[in-house]
Amino acid sequence: MPRKKREIGRPLKNKYPPRIDASPEAIAVAFFSVPAKTTVKANANYRCVDCQREVNYSDTLYNDGRCEKCHKAVAAA
């Protein structure tokens, strides 16, 4: 059986939304609830409430709208 050829070109570089600190139950409620009136943009820029730093997929945006550094600072205070 011959091998399959690899696809030509560079692999796609996807921008993923940030990880969240929600429980599976909270995700299920949000997913199966009535659609919200506000719409979420596909390639929206997520920013921290305190420091206004842009939060990408590798970082975490918590439920309070803060990045990981600001969230830990508020929790410690």
Side-chain angles (χ1 to χ4, degrees), residues 20-42:
I20 58 173
D21 63 335
S23 66
E25 292 81 12
I27 294 172
V29 168
F31 185 76
F32 292 114
S33 66
V34 178
K37 292 182 181 179
T38 59
T39 57
V40 178
K41 298 178 184 175

Side-chain angles (χ1 to χ4, degrees), residues 44-57:
N45 294 331
Y46 298 97
R47 296 192 176 274
C48 175
V49 174
D50 290 340
C51 65
Q52 295 299 317
R53 184 174 65 92
E54 186 175 335
V55 180
N56 291 325
Y57 175 69

Side-chain angles (χ1 to χ4, degrees), residues 9-16 43 56:
R10 294 180 179 222
L12 294 176
K13 185 177 180 184
N14 293 333
K15 246 184 146 177
Y16 295 107
N43 293 328
N56 291 325

